[in-house]
């Protein structure tokens, strides 16, 4: 569908954010170089422009950071909860104040549209700190016994798809419960975590309570394996999650793992089609599909398949792909060349295995990493594109005839993170939701998040919950 | 602040429906310090003032109770921020009116600020602690959700110092 009206470019200004040419590690309240002096570059995935050069942490830096966190732990955990709460409220407020700066920074470093960082990521980040700030002096009321104690030093490793939001999910509950933190952001998106370090300083957070180590998987492995880390929190791929589980087995370290997913979005024949189409689009094309709880499998009832797919293709043809800083952009850049090649390879496998590929008609920019919204029809449950997490803007469409068949197909996966149900019938929502083996089930909506709502997986999507009252348990000594 | 300058007194008024009216009665009473010295005139509210205030509270109830818990928490926290910003004024007023030392008055004000922060954090948690899905033994869904009482009347004690900073 050619657009009758062209949009004028509406880019958000970059001038709101000042990115330094280089950054150090944030250890014990100070920015410092890596012990061996190593650095790496952070690249903007939409232009391949080098944004900054950051220190690359090694084992020695991990040890320094864990020692700083350990030193800070005694005082921090002994503070009255009401005082810890006030630090977290300060952080939440500073994030709100600096939200436009952080949104632009996140868009530059990650490649996701400014509309998402501005309207989803940043408001949720601030809300998460507000929510857990309120818990810090109310832990007695959380249902984990009187005066529940923190675990100690938390080693946290987060992914690149929601850099600052994943940081908030990890750091806010850890600090509220009295733990201290060493966090490693992903190597392709280190910048917002370093800006967060500056926010900790503005908030007057005591030294060593939060330490940020930028680096690669080797730093993550060293952090997870450090003998003085009491708690490991990881969000990322199932393969790395399994490796972490093996690495810490028998050490007594507590762990929460939030891993991959292959969410089923189930559309029944009585669903309002236009609404469902919007939900399908949000489910798999939000953040270019680089979402662990993405609704990457569409299960549509056979009788409405044509209607839904026609409406879906029409809608996908209107999505605007391009400059992530443009306020009209719907689809931004893929986070890295590596991720793009993974998505491309899996899509090719889909074609080779006989699924029918449809790609939204849109021009891809010449620089940067891009993948047009794509869907596969004629997909069976045996196809790779129906089984493996693609982590990109690729939707696999399957059909079903009865609710039982929908449930069986939705559950036929190694994962169990999310699912969606689209129907006008309330009783069907409750009946189907109860049978789905998924940590989050959305009804007549998708990808809705709130700090009060726990999130986490079944099966190979991991264990432990983040968010809500339930999210406190992962950081308290409840054994 | 020259010694010759005459300071400006504050006219204390009611706060009803977002406005600051004088009492409908046209009357005031004298507020004195612990030694009986005059501090200010406070409006002497009438039954009609009380009715107006309840009507205003009832009118605001739907909007306030319908706001998201997050939003209410933000507003309570904002009150804490504003109170902290006017700390000096409140310490002075508490010290004068209640006959407290400066440090005790400061403790009262600080406790008040922290109390606002404490409840700012409760708005979005009370539902999860006091409510939930009840595991009924039948094919039906049963939820409990705590709901606000409505319009609440609060009568402050004559001598607040006994409770204000005891916590």
């Amino acid at each position: 569908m050619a657009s009758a009206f062209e949009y004028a470019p509406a880019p958000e200004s970059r001038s709101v954010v000042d990115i330094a040419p280089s950054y150090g590690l944030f250890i014990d309240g100070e920015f410092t170089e890596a012990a061996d002096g190593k650095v790496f570059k952070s690249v903007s995935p939409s232009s391949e422009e080098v944004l900054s050069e950051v220190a690359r942490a090694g084992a020695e830096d991990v040890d320094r950071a864990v020692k700083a966190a350990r030193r800070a732990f005694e005082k921090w955990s002994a503070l009255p909860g009401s005082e810890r709460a006030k630090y977290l409220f300060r952080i939440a407020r500073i994030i709100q104040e600096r939200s436009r700066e952080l949104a632009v920074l996140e868009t530059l470093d990650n490649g996701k549209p400014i509309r998402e960082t501005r309207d989803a990521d940043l408001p949720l980040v601030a809300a998460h700190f507000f929510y857990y700030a309120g818990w810090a002096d109310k832990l007695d009321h959380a249902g984990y016994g009187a005066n529940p104690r923190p675990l100690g030093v938390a080693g946290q490793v987060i992914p690149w798809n929601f850099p600052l939001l994943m940081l908030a999910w990890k750091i806010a509950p850890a600090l509220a419960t009295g733990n201290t933190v060493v966090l490693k952001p992903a190597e392709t998106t280190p910048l917002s975590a370093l800006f967060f370090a500056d926010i900790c300083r503005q908030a007057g957070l005591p030294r060593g309570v939060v330490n940020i180590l930028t680096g690669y998987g080797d730093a993550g492995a060293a952090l997870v394996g450090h003998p003085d880390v009491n708690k490991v929190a990881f969000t990322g791929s199932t393969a790395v999650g399994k490796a972490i589980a093996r690495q810490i087995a028998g050490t007594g370290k507590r762990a929460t793992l939030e891993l991959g997913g292959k969410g089923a979005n189930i559309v029944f024949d009585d669903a309002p089609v236009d609404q469902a189409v919007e939900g399908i689009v949000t489910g798999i094309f939000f953040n270019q599909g680089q979402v662990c709880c993405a609704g990457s499998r569409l299960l549509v009832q056979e009788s409405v398949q044509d209607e839904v797919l026609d409406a879906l293709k029409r809608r996908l043809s209107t999505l605007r792909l391009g400059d992530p800083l443009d306020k009209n952009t719907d689809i931004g850049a893929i986070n890295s060349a590596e991720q793009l090649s993974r998505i491309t390879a899996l899509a090719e496998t889909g074609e080779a295995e006989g699924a029918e590929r449809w790609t939204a008609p849109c021009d891809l920019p010449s620089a940067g990493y891009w993948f047009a919204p794509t869907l596969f029809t004629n997909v069976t449950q045996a196809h790779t594109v129906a089984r493996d997490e693609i982590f990109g803007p690729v939707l696999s469409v399957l059909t079903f005839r009865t609710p039982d068949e929908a449930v069986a197909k939705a559950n036929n996966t190694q994962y169990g993170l999310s699912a969606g149900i689209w129907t006008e019938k309330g009783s069907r929502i409750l009946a189907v939701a109860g049978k789905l083996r998924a940590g989050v089930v959305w009804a007549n909506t998708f990808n809705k998040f709130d700090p009060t709502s726990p999130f986490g997986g079944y099966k190979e999507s991991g264990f432990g919950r983040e968010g809500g009252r339930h999210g406190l348990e992962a950081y308290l000594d409840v054994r | 602040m020259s010694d010759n300058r005459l300071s400006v007194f504050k006219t204390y008024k009611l706060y009803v429906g977002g406005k600051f009216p004088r009492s409908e009665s046209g009357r005031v009473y004298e507020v004195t310090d612990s030694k009986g010295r005059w501090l200010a005139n406070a409006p002497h509210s009438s039954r009609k003032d009380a009715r107006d205030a309840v009507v205003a509270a009832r009118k605001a109830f739907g909007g306030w109770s319908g706001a998201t818990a997050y939003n209410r928490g933000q507003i309570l926290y904002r009150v804490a921020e504003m109170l902290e910003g006017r700390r000096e004024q409140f310490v002075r007023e508490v010290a004068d009116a209640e006959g407290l030392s400066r440090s005790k008055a400061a403790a009262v004000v600080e406790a008040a600020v922290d109390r606002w922060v404490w409840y700012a954090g409760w708005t979005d948690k009370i539902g999860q602690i006091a409510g939930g899905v009840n595991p009924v033994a039948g094919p039906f869904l049963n939820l409990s959700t705590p709901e606000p009482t409505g319009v609440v009347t609060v009568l402050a004690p004559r001598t607040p110092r006994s409770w204000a900073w005891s916590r």
Side-chain angles (χ1 to χ4, degrees):
Chain A
M1 191 158 65
S3 43
F5 298 96
E6 285 302 317
Y7 284 71
E12 178 74 44
S13 170
R14 278 181 68 156
S15 64
V16 66
V17 56
D18 186 13
I19 303 175
S22 68
Y23 286 96
L25 312 169
F26 186 68
I27 299 175
D28 208 14
E30 302 288 341
F31 284 101
T32 152
E33 285 177 27
D36 56 11
K38 280 192 183 161
V39 294
F40 65 101
K41 292 178 170 60
S42 192
V43 171
S44 179
S46 63
S47 63
E48 298 175 58
E49 167 200 353
V50 174
L51 295 171
S52 188
E53 205 171 66
V54 260
R56 178 173 173 172
E60 203 177 314
D61 305 303
V62 168
D63 189 52
R64 269 199 299 160
V66 171
K67 283 198 170 108
R70 174 61 59 193
R71 276 196 305 275
F73 175 68
E74 195 180 335
K75 269 193 177 167
W76 178 249
S77 58
L79 272 186
S82 56
E83 296 300 299
R84 285 202 309 273
K86 285 192 278 185
Y87 280 114
L88 289 167
F89 276 120
R90 280 187 186 182
I91 290 172
R93 273 297 200 229
I94 296 172
I95 289 169
Q96 286 183 321
E97 286 162 4
R98 296 178 63 176
S99 68
R100 189 55 56 91
E101 173 195 3
L102 294 166
V104 171
L105 175 74
E106 196 84 311
T107 285
L108 284 169
D109 204 18
N110 169 281
K112 65 168 74 186
I114 185 73
R115 200 164 53 87
E116 293 181 10
T117 52
R118 185 194 61 197
D119 299 346
D121 294 58
L122 263 299
L124 281 169
V125 169
H128 219 83
F129 276 100
F130 266 109
Y131 178 74
Y132 279 107
W135 270 123
D137 52 5
K138 301 176 183 66
L139 297 174
D140 288 355
H141 301 272
Y144 302 110
N147 194 23
R149 303 311 305 158
L151 294 167
V153 175
Q156 307 178 321
V157 179
I158 58 171
W160 43 261
N161 57 344
F162 295 92
L164 201 56
L165 183 58
M166 290 301 107
L167 174 149
W169 282 26
K170 297 281 181 288
I171 291 185
L175 297 194
T177 45
N179 300 275
T180 54
V181 162
V182 180
L183 177 131
K184 190 197 87 69
E187 64 268 24
T188 59
T189 53
L191 297 183
S192 53
L194 294 166
F195 274 57
F196 179 80
D198 184 48
I199 289 173
C200 291
R201 292 215 293 202
Q202 285 185 339
L205 195 71
R207 301 157 72 97
V209 171
V210 167
N211 304 275
I212 307 282
L213 297 179
T214 46
Y216 281 70
D218 58 318
L223 177 58
V224 167
H226 194 287
D228 206 26
V229 163
N230 304 98
K231 154 82 189 177
V232 172
F234 172 75
T235 296
S237 72
T238 292
V240 174
K242 285 181 179 177
I244 288 176
R246 280 191 293 270
Q247 191 184 353
I248 62 172
T251 62
K253 288 177 189 174
R254 289 271 303 277
T256 38
L257 303 176
E258 203 268 89
L259 310 175
K262 193 73 186 175
N265 209 351
I266 307 170
V267 178
F268 287 98
D269 57 5
D270 64 342
V273 171
D274 289 346
Q275 243 174 286
V277 164
E278 289 306 312
I280 295 162
V281 170
T282 308
I284 183 61
F285 299 113
F286 176 65
N287 201 23
Q288 296 72 247
Q290 303 168 130
V291 183
C292 44
C293 56
S296 50
R297 288 181 298 153
L298 172 63
L299 294 180
V300 58
Q301 198 151 11
E302 219 172 75
S303 49
V304 291
Q305 180 192 5
D306 292 344
E307 189 189 353
V308 169
L309 284 182
D310 287 350
L312 181 61
K313 286 176 183 170
R314 210 160 46 234
R315 179 69 181 90
L316 293 183
S317 306
T318 67
L319 291 180
R320 300 174 57 79
L321 179 147
D323 180 9
L325 276 178
D326 194 305
K327 294 167 206 162
N328 293 318
T329 293
D330 299 304
I331 307 282
I334 301 301
N335 183 251
S336 65
E338 190 192 353
Q339 184 59 21
L340 178 59
S341 65
R342 196 174 303 146
I343 297 168
T344 308
L346 279 162
E348 278 163 8
T349 308
E351 274 184 283
E353 289 179 355
E356 198 174 310
R357 178 175 184 163
W358 180 90
T359 300
C362 61
D363 298 329
L364 302 184
S366 50
Y369 319 123
W370 306 90
F371 199 89
T374 295
L375 60 86
F376 281 99
T377 49
N378 288 333
V379 176
T380 74
Q381 296 181 81
H383 281 150
T384 303
V385 290
R387 307 194 72 81
D388 288 12
E389 182 178 44
I390 297 173
F391 223 65
V394 181
L395 178 68
S396 302
V397 184
L398 297 93
T399 60
F400 67 91
R401 289 183 180 171
T402 66
D404 283 347
E405 188 188 347
V407 169
K409 282 185 169 170
N411 286 338
N412 182 14
T413 168
Q414 74 193 90
Y415 298 112
L417 196 52
S418 75
I421 305 169
W422 296 83
T423 171
E424 286 281 272
K425 220 172 159 194
S427 58
R428 184 178 282 154
I429 291 173
L430 294 172
V432 172
K435 290 177 194 155
L436 290 173
R437 303 282 294 159
V440 184
V441 180
W442 285 289
N444 292 335
T445 188
F446 211 94
N447 272 345
K448 286 274 185 284
F449 299 95
D450 194 280
T452 66
S453 175
F455 181 92
Y458 280 53
K459 299 193 270 186
E460 290 192 15
S461 291
F463 52 78
R465 293 292 176 263
E466 293 182 301
R469 185 183 66 79
H470 310 75
L472 295 167
E473 184 184 359
Y475 290 94
L476 291 171
D477 187 6
V478 292
R479 280 176 297 186
Chain B
M1 277 215 269
S2 72
D3 290 341
N4 300 332
R5 185 182 168 274
L6 197 62
S7 67
V8 177
F9 284 170
K10 177 175 176 182
T11 309
Y12 288 87
K13 294 188 192 175
L14 307 179
Y15 180 54
V16 178
K19 295 195 172 75
F20 293 92
R22 291 189 168 85
S23 169
E24 166 276 338
S25 69
R27 295 168 63 199
V28 293
Y29 66 97
E30 292 190 354
V31 179
T32 54
D33 69 11
S34 56
K35 302 209 167 65
R37 286 178 305 227
W38 180 85
L39 285 173
N41 295 320
H44 192 123
S45 299
S46 66
R47 293 159 69 107
K48 182 165 188 313
D49 289 323
R51 275 202 302 276
D52 288 349
V54 171
V55 167
R58 174 61 60 193
K59 205 168 150 192
F61 177 67
W64 177 250
S65 60
T68 63
Y70 178 54
N71 188 218
R72 279 181 280 122
Q74 297 269 292
I75 291 168
L76 263 61
Y77 185 74
R78 183 69 180 160
V79 173
E81 288 182 338
M82 303 306 285
L83 199 53
E84 183 90 48
R86 288 167 60 177
R87 191 174 173 283
E88 291 311 311
Q89 178 196 343
F90 278 96
V91 169
R92 199 172 58 243
E93 290 178 337
V94 167
D96 285 348
E98 299 183 27
L100 298 179
S101 69
R102 237 202 88 82
S103 64
K104 279 191 174 156
V108 169
V109 174
E110 283 160 9
V113 174
D114 287 358
R115 191 69 64 93
W116 279 99
V117 174
W118 159 262
Y119 282 109
W122 265 123
T123 57
D124 53 7
K125 296 175 184 66
I126 190 75
Q128 280 180 332
I129 289 185
V133 180
N134 304 313
V136 290
F140 58 101
L141 181 73
N142 184 270
L143 302 162
S144 291
T145 310
E147 292 185 346
T149 306
V151 176
V152 175
T153 299
V154 182
L155 300 174
R158 202 183 190 95
T159 50
R161 70 191 91 150
S162 55
W163 58 269
W165 45 278
S166 62
R167 190 167 180 277

